[in-house]
Amino acid sequence: MLAAHPEERELRDKRFLKRNHLRKSSEFQKVFQRGRKVVTYTLIFRVLPNDLPESRIGLTVSRKVGKATKRNLIKRRVREAFRERKALFPQGFDIVISPRRGILERSFQDYQKSFDILLRKLQRSGAPS
């Protein structure tokens, strides 16, 4: 079998896989109960260290935000912003993400900036303060 081209490897590393998701209610509850909160102008992050080789995210979008199409748009944007920065995240964090009010008026760049703020906090202290 041929070795993967470096660009293909880079693309493969940026995929958003099942192992990057928080899936169980108990996982979400653990992060909500024991995790620390990082608030940005677009998103609220709750972060808890885990013992896994990768960081995982979970999304909670309230019905107050809007109908399903609006909530799904928010989730797609959050997943994409995470996917683009996944390689920069320190390993071993569970992150639950909730949108703030007015998120529908925000641009995709605002989502990316929120993740950049979280990354700086994680890299500075190893855990958010």
Side-chain angles (χ1 to χ4, degrees), residues 15-109:
R15 291 179 298 173
F16 190 65
L17 304 170
K18 283 186 180 182
R19 67 176 181 246
N20 300 125
H21 291 256
L22 288 176
R23 298 183 93 70
K24 297 178 183 174
S25 178
S26 60
E27 295 169 339
F28 278 85
Q29 289 302 317
K30 189 189 305 184
V31 175
F32 272 106
Q33 290 169 358
R34 293 191 240 157
R36 295 195 177 262
K37 190 188 282 190
V38 175
V39 179
T40 67
Y41 51 92
T42 307
L43 300 168
I44 299 170
F45 299 95
R46 288 177 179 83
V47 182
L48 183 68
N50 65 28
D51 295 326
L52 301 174
E54 290 189 342
S55 289
R56 304 181 299 173
I57 67 167
L59 303 168
T60 60
V61 183
S62 170
R63 289 186 190 156
K64 292 179 184 178
V65 171
K67 297 204 182 253
T69 54
K70 304 276 187 193
R71 295 193 308 269
N72 289 336
L73 173 66
I74 292 166
K75 289 188 265 186
R76 283 194 306 273
R77 286 180 175 177
V78 169
R79 281 193 298 265
E80 180 62 13
F82 174 75
R83 186 192 65 79
E84 288 180 350
R85 286 157 173 73
K86 183 173 83 165
L88 302 173
F89 269 83
Q91 67 183 20
F93 286 99
D94 285 342
I95 305 163
V96 175
I97 304 165
S98 305
R100 296 194 66 182
R101 282 194 188 146
I103 191 150
L104 291 169
E105 291 80 39
R106 299 284 186 177
S107 69
F108 181 66
Q109 288 74 27

Side-chain angles (χ1 to χ4, degrees), residues 2-20:
L2 295 174
H5 195 277
E7 291 173 4
E8 289 178 23
R9 261 186 265 128
E10 183 180 322
L11 287 175
R12 215 177 296 138
D13 293 341
K14 288 186 176 182
R15 291 179 298 173
F16 190 65
L17 304 170
K18 283 186 180 182
R19 67 176 181 246
N20 300 125

